[in-house]
Amino acid sequence: MPLFEKVLIANRGEIAVRIIRTLRRLGIRSVAVYSDADADALHVRLADEAVRLGPAPAQESYLAIERVLGAATRKGAQAIHPGYGFLAENPAFARACAAAGIVFIGPTAEAMEVMGDKISARSAVEARGVATVPGLARPGLADAELIAGAGAVGFPVLIKPSAGGGGKGMHVVTEAAAMPAALAAARREASASFGDDALFLERYVSAPRHIEVQVLADAHGTVVHLGERECSLQRRHQKVIEEAPSPLLDAATRARIGAAACDTARSVDYRGVGTVEFIVSADRPDEFFFMEMNTRLQVEHPVTEQVTGLDLVEQQLRVAAGEPLAFAQADVTVSGHSIEARVYAEDPRTGFLPTGGRVLRVVEPDGPGIRVDSSLADGLDVGVDYDPMLAKVIATGETRDEALARLRAALEHTVILGFDTNLEFLRLLLERPEVAEGEIDTDLIARVFDSLPFAEADDRTFVEAAVLRDAEAAAAGVAASLARGLWQRGDGWRLGPAAPRLFRLEARGRSADVRVTGSGASLRARVDDGPEVPVAVDPASGFVSWGGVGRTVAWSTGADGWWIGAGGVTVRVSERGAAARGGADAVGMPEVVSPLPGTVVVVAVAEGDHVEAGDALVVVEAMKMEHSLRASIAGTVRLSVAVGDRVARGAVVAAVEAPFDTPR
């Protein structure tokens, strides 16, 4: 007899796919829910049943409690797994499930309320003797109180939303003058992400390391921890790389932090899977402070599963069904080392701006110790309505060095064509000596980012794009000839030597002219004024040999150019003049364009205002992050958008008219 006969998954993406796999293994039928944006998503295809919730906006679909409960009732689901994000930490949803007679696979609403508010969470754990970061935290703090109290806390301070997590709404402020603007942005982001704009302050710990402990508790009073995870590699307070165990802690500190995590869970009579997050100074690794408790499954839970051998989703199901834990703390063992890399639809080279588009081709790695949690599939449309995380690549080995080597190799063999991702960034980050040595902290990425050697478009990239596109065009021409007849050919055939096929290309800021001549064994290519070099190409496999040196690339043709992927680097090659216009900071550009698709949430100026270069004009929100678009020259503003407008990548949001006597 299964734990439940049918479980509805109130989430999407890779976590929904991951939950479905455990349900299938346990013989439990799965019900997926989806918005219009996800109608063809992988989790919808894999589930036993699926129910449409509504249009793309989360408030009208994944966050609509009555629609989710209605789907569960119609399909006869006994329980709902919320995944993470959306309704996972919503006490009202947990209570609504109980009222509908449906089991909520998670903690009690009361535990979520205490730990979901970071201010009340601090009070609860302090009562159990767990140390917290010095700060200013009480309900209902107004901006004036936060500004006045920041000096006493001591700069730099960290502004944090009382509700929610994931780094959203968090701002580091180094001086009093920057507080008003940072508070305004933090409140907007907190309200948009969590529906609650309450804020508090903490002292910003120098050289901070982010250590979290996985806890598991049943309804019969047993609480255990499953070891810790190191989550210090972050950008904008968002985790990028996570690993278990932490390379920082010694055995004594590991025992102490585990005990503190269990005390935190006991402070709210916790039930199910949860994560207690601590901040530790790299200079004093034996001293840790409680930050928050996430009352849900974490994105990085796979690394704990890999080193403990436990399926955390299965444990959630068993606890929710009322079963006692089948093991005690002494039975928990950690073996080996596991590291996870989060793959995002974003372009690190443009400040991690969200991207998205159609997945033209995806290649996922495999091999010893490799696990991939993903929601990707060829042909999938990735929009900007939800979080930009696409997949997680997890590598496990007997040692940390082995796990790192396997993860680097796995990322080199991961390909996503159709839009920019952070894959190359992840690989470069993992090659840093600080990461190899475990000397990491939450500021490391910001310190080293400018020195990461992102690949430039070289002659080989342009030749590969040209000859593969040439082969594609030739195949299309043959097919057209067969259909229309010899005398209707339009491929430029002529008497005498064949005319070169010219490809005028650009990629990653570089332009090149590639001339391709001949075919078969006589195929040649020349880049700009360089020599003509023999080329061999097999478009079916993606193999291209140029000048006697060959490699196999993943490639595909999209609406905005040709995508070439090899060795962990993906490059978009477009026809010259067809590339998207530059971003809002392009020097001398009177038009301000959005570098990403999203929604206008702030218009900071009025039509006809005079602005200086660098002034903020419009704020665009995409994938729960805000991006300020600024004037590149001084002049008079002409607005093209209003608050609430949705804009496409490259859309003009404003123009700045310079005075006639101002050089442009």
Side-chain angles (χ1 to χ4, degrees), residues 241 243 337 339 395 399-409 430 435-438:
I241 304 286
E243 59 185 300
H337 203 97
I339 310 177
T399 65
R400 185 173 186 269
D401 286 345
E402 183 176 51
L404 268 174
R406 286 178 170 177
L407 184 54
R408 293 189 193 108
L430 290 171
V435 176
E437 296 162 9

Side-chain angles (χ1 to χ4, degrees), residues 219-269:
H220 306 277
T222 301
V223 181
V224 300
H225 70 83
L226 307 179
E228 85 285 351
R229 297 185 287 255
E230 173 89 48
C231 304
S232 297
L233 286 173
Q234 304 178 5
R235 57 112 181 97
R236 297 177 180 167
H237 309 293
Q238 178 68 61
K239 301 167 190 173
V240 176
I241 304 286
E242 302 105 342
E243 59 185 300
S246 166
L248 176 69
L249 304 186
D250 58 24
T253 306
R254 182 166 285 120
R256 289 172 48 233
I257 202 169
C262 289
D263 283 340
T264 298
R266 293 187 183 101
S267 73
V268 289
D269 193 22

Side-chain angles (χ1 to χ4, degrees), residues 15-257:
I15 185 56
V17 172
R18 184 261 172 276
I19 294 168
I20 288 169
R21 287 176 177 150
T22 290
L23 294 176
R24 183 172 296 166
R25 180 175 62 80
L26 296 174
I28 301 173
R29 289 184 62 80
S30 57
V31 180
V33 291
Y34 63 92
S35 71
D36 290 344
D38 285 335
D40 195 39
L42 186 59
H43 76 280
V44 177
R45 303 181 204 174
L46 292 178
D48 295 306
E49 302 174 66
V51 179
R52 176 188 177 272
L53 292 177
Q59 294 288 349
E60 301 176 55
S61 52
Y62 295 107
L63 291 175
I65 292 177
E66 291 304 319
R67 295 185 186 187
V68 173
L69 288 176
T73 301
R74 291 195 305 276
K75 292 296 183 179
Q78 293 91 32
I80 293 179
H81 195 305
Y84 40 69
F86 291 136
L87 297 170
E89 294 176 284
N90 187 314
F93 181 55
R95 289 194 174 96
C97 287
I102 297 172
V103 175
F104 175 78
I105 300 175
T108 63
E110 292 74 22
M112 280 192 283
E113 283 176 332
V114 174
M115 289 299 170
D117 184 299
K118 294 181 179 64
I119 297 173
S120 62
R122 284 170 62 99
S123 299
V125 303
E126 286 170 352
R128 300 283 303 198
V130 179
T132 60
V133 182
L136 175 61
R138 61 175 183 269
L141 285 166
D143 284 5
E145 295 173 289
L146 292 165
I147 292 169
V153 173
F155 288 100
V157 297
L158 182 61
I159 301 172
K160 299 179 72 173
S162 182
K168 297 177 177 64
M170 292 172 59
H171 291 261
V172 178
V173 182
T174 59
E175 58 182 1
M179 283 291 291
L183 287 169
R187 289 200 191 276
R188 286 196 304 270
E189 292 166 10
S191 180
S193 296
F194 316 119
D196 183 346
D197 70 352
L199 303 174
F200 69 105
L201 300 180
E202 283 183 354
R203 182 182 301 162
Y204 188 72
V205 177
S206 63
R209 294 185 69 145
H210 185 128
I211 310 292
E212 61 187 31
V213 181
Q214 181 72 68
V215 295
L216 174 61
D218 62 22
H220 306 277
T222 301
V223 181
V224 300
H225 70 83
L226 307 179
E228 85 285 351
R229 297 185 287 255
E230 173 89 48
C231 304
S232 297
L233 286 173
Q234 304 178 5
R235 57 112 181 97
R236 297 177 180 167
H237 309 293
Q238 178 68 61
K239 301 167 190 173
V240 176
I241 304 286
E242 302 105 342
E243 59 185 300
S246 166
L248 176 69
L249 304 186
D250 58 24
T253 306
R254 182 166 285 120
R256 289 172 48 233
I257 202 169

Side-chain angles (χ1 to χ4, degrees), residues 585-604:
D585 293 328
V587 176
M589 288 282 288
E591 288 186 337
V592 179
V593 302
S594 178
L596 73 168
T599 302
V600 176
V601 293
V602 173
V603 176

Side-chain angles (χ1 to χ4, degrees), residues 108-470:
T108 63
E110 292 74 22
M112 280 192 283
E113 283 176 332
V114 174
M115 289 299 170
D117 184 299
K118 294 181 179 64
I119 297 173
S120 62
R122 284 170 62 99
S123 299
V125 303
E126 286 170 352
R128 300 283 303 198
V130 179
T132 60
V133 182
L136 175 61
R138 61 175 183 269
L141 285 166
D143 284 5
E145 295 173 289
L146 292 165
I147 292 169
V153 173
F155 288 100
V157 297
L158 182 61
I159 301 172
K160 299 179 72 173
S162 182
K168 297 177 177 64
M170 292 172 59
H171 291 261
V172 178
V173 182
T174 59
E175 58 182 1
M179 283 291 291
L183 287 169
R187 289 200 191 276
R188 286 196 304 270
E189 292 166 10
S191 180
S193 296
F194 316 119
D196 183 346
D197 70 352
L199 303 174
F200 69 105
L201 300 180
E202 283 183 354
R203 182 182 301 162
Y204 188 72
V205 177
S206 63
R209 294 185 69 145
H210 185 128
I211 310 292
E212 61 187 31
V213 181
Q214 181 72 68
V215 295
L216 174 61
D218 62 22
H220 306 277
T222 301
V223 181
V224 300
H225 70 83
L226 307 179
E228 85 285 351
R229 297 185 287 255
E230 173 89 48
C231 304
S232 297
L233 286 173
Q234 304 178 5
R235 57 112 181 97
R236 297 177 180 167
H237 309 293
Q238 178 68 61
K239 301 167 190 173
V240 176
I241 304 286
E242 302 105 342
E243 59 185 300
S246 166
L248 176 69
L249 304 186
D250 58 24
T253 306
R254 182 166 285 120
R256 289 172 48 233
I257 202 169
C262 289
D263 283 340
T264 298
R266 293 187 183 101
S267 73
V268 289
D269 193 22
Y270 198 76
R271 183 184 68 202
V273 164
T275 299
V276 185
E277 302 195 353
F278 297 90
I279 192 166
V280 183
S281 172
D283 302 326
R284 301 191 64 178
D286 60 337
E287 184 179 67
F288 51 84
F289 299 102
F290 169 85
M291 288 197 302
E292 62 182 330
M293 182 177 188
N294 289 297
T295 55
R296 54 173 167 80
L297 196 66
Q298 289 278 91
V299 173
E300 57 272 23
H301 75 275
V303 296
T304 296
E305 293 184 324
Q306 296 300 110
V307 297
T308 63
L310 294 169
D311 182 330
L312 294 186
V313 173
E314 178 182 349
Q315 295 302 316
Q316 286 183 294
L317 292 164
R318 294 192 180 282
V319 168
E323 292 186 6
L325 293 182
F327 51 88
Q329 188 66 64
D331 301 315
V332 177
T333 59
V334 173
S335 177
H337 203 97
S338 189
I339 310 177
E340 170 184 292
R342 299 188 185 191
V343 181
Y344 285 95
E346 64 186 13
D347 185 357
R349 293 173 297 113
T350 59
F352 296 97
L353 289 178
T355 56
R358 174 155 292 187
V359 179
L360 302 175
R361 185 178 178 191
V362 58
V363 179
E364 295 178 345
D366 57 14
I370 300 302
R371 166 178 168 178
V372 178
D373 285 12
S374 171
S375 61
L376 291 173
D378 291 356
L380 178 73
D381 287 318
V382 176
V384 296
D385 296 289
Y386 314 115
D387 190 272
M389 192 175 72
L390 302 171
K392 302 174 299 192
V393 180
I394 306 105
T396 306
E398 293 185 7
T399 65
R400 185 173 186 269
D401 286 345
E402 183 176 51
L404 268 174
R406 286 178 170 177
L407 184 54
R408 293 189 193 108
L411 292 173
E412 287 184 1
H413 291 89
T414 303
V415 178
I416 302 170
L417 303 183
F419 47 83
D420 289 307
T421 71
N422 68 334
L423 279 169
E424 183 183 4
F425 162 73
L426 293 171
R427 183 179 56 78
L428 295 174
L429 180 61
L430 290 171
E431 290 174 354
R432 291 288 306 188
E434 301 94 332
V435 176
E437 296 162 9
E439 300 293 332
I440 56 181
D441 59 68
T442 59
D443 297 326
L444 176 66
I445 290 176
R447 290 198 304 273
V448 306
F449 182 83
D450 289 341
S451 64
L452 294 179
F454 286 96
E456 301 299 327
D458 57 13
D459 286 357
R460 177 169 297 279
T461 301
F462 285 117
V463 168
E464 288 168 344
V467 299
L468 286 166
R469 182 68 182 91
D470 183 61

Side-chain angles (χ1 to χ4, degrees), residues 627-648:
H627 307 274
S628 183
L629 308 184
R630 300 176 181 274
S632 58
I633 62 172
T636 303
V637 173
R638 302 301 178 197
L639 293 171
S640 303
V641 296
V643 172
D645 286 353
R646 292 178 68 87
V647 295

